[in-house]
C-alpha cells in the first residue's frame, strides 16, 4: 500500500455520513437531546483534588486504563455505578455484562445521564460518551452488544464508583 492509497482511505472514513458509522452513533445523537440533568460550570482542573490521578487522567484527559485492571470487572452485586467525579448515577448493575474486553461493560446507561461526541483517536470514528453533568470521559459506545439493544457501553472502571443497593447514593458533588 502506498501513501496515496492510505490517505484516500482516511479521507473516505472522514467523509462517510454519520449513519454509516454505527447504530450507536444514531442512538447517541438522539439521547443527547433527552437529558434533564444540568451540566456543571466547573473547569476540569477543579476536579484534580477530588479524584485519584488515574481517574483524573481518564475523566479529564481522556486517557484509557489498561484492560483487565479494574476491580469493577468482577463486580456482581446489585447496585449503581456512579461517575467517580461528580457522583451522578450512570449505570444500574442489572445492565452490566461480561463483554470479554477487559473493561466493565453495560447494555444501556441511565437515560439522560450521558453526553456523546465523535472520537477519531484510532483513525476511525467511534462514539465516545461522557458524564452529562461534569463532562468526565467514561468510555465508548459500540453496536456489538447482546440483544435486545445490541449496545456495548465499554467503560473505564477508574471513572466509576460502585454503590451497593443496600447503601445510600452519595450526594452529588458540585
Amino acid at each position: 500500500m502506498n501513501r496515496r492509497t492510505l490517505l484516500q482511505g482516511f479521507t473516505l472514513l472522514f467523509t462517510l455520513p454519520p449513519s454509516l458509522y454505527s447504530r450507536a452513533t444514531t442512538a447517541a445523537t438522539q439521547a443527547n437531546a433527552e437529558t434533564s440533568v444540568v451540566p456543571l460550570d466547573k473547569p476540569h482542573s477543579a476536579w484534580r483534588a477530588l479524584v485519584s490521578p488515574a481517574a483524573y487522567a481518564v475523566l479529564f484527559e481522556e486517557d484509557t486504563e489498561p484492560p483487565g485492571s479494574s476491580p469493577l470487572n468482577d463486580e456482581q452485586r446489585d447496585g449503581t455505578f456512579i461517575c467517580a467525579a461528580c457522583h451522578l448515577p450512570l449505570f444500574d448493575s442489572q445492565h452490566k455484562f461480561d463483554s470479554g474486553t477487559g473493561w466493565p461493560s453495560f447494555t444501556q446507561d441511565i437515560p439522560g445521564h450521558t453526553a456523546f461526541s465523535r472520537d477519531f483517536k484510532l483513525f476511525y470514528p467511534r462514539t465516545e460518551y461522557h458524564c452529562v453533568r461534569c463532562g468526565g470521559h467514561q468510555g465508548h459506545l459500540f453496536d456489538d452488544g447482546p440483544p435486545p439493544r445490541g449496545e456495548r457501553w465499554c467503560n473505564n472502571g477508574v471513572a466509576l464508583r460502585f454503590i451497593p443497593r443496600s447503601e445510600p447514593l452519595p450526594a452529588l458533588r458540585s
Side-chain angles (χ1 to χ4, degrees):
M1 175 182 293
N2 63 33
R3 187 169 28 168
R4 175 180 284 182
T5 305
L6 182 64
L7 290 174
Q8 287 172 340
F10 284 137
T11 302
L12 177 62
L13 276 176
F14 292 109
T15 58
L16 289 173
S19 62
L20 294 180
Y21 296 144
S22 72
R23 291 183 322 221
T25 302
T26 304
T29 303
Q30 291 170 349
N32 257 347
E34 298 174 4
T35 185
S36 62
V37 176
V38 177
L40 294 173
D41 185 19
K42 183 174 187 165
H44 287 171
S45 60
W47 294 103
R48 190 178 296 276
L50 299 174
V51 298
S52 72
Y56 185 85
V58 167
L59 288 161
F60 301 109
E61 295 174 345
E62 298 186 353
D63 200 0
T64 299
E65 69 185 355
S69 65
S70 175
L72 295 182
N73 285 332
D74 299 322
E75 183 58 66
Q76 299 297 320
R77 295 176 289 170
D78 191 29
T80 305
F81 293 85
I82 65 172
C83 174
C86 73
H87 296 170
L88 182 69
L90 298 177
F91 300 99
D92 190 279
S93 62
Q94 69 181 330
H95 301 296
K96 185 175 183 291
F97 75 103
D98 183 1
S99 66
T101 62
W103 289 280
S105 296
F106 304 87
T107 57
Q108 67 184 70
D109 67 335
I110 294 175
H113 288 202
T114 51
F116 304 87
S117 61
R118 188 159 292 123
D119 167 8
F120 291 95
K121 291 182 187 107
L122 296 180
F123 301 111
Y124 62 90
R126 298 182 298 171
T127 302
E128 184 175 298
Y129 62 93
H130 303 260
C131 171
V132 74
R133 192 162 178 271
C134 69
H137 167 75
Q138 294 291 323
H140 291 87
L141 176 59
F142 300 98
D143 64 357
D144 60 0
R149 294 172 58 113
E151 297 174 359
R152 175 172 54 95
W153 296 71
C154 189
N155 216 98
N156 287 282
V158 72
L160 295 171
R161 277 187 52 203
F162 176 74
I163 308 299
R165 190 88 62 220
S166 60
E167 297 177 17
L169 293 174
L172 294 176
R173 285 180 174 163
S174 294

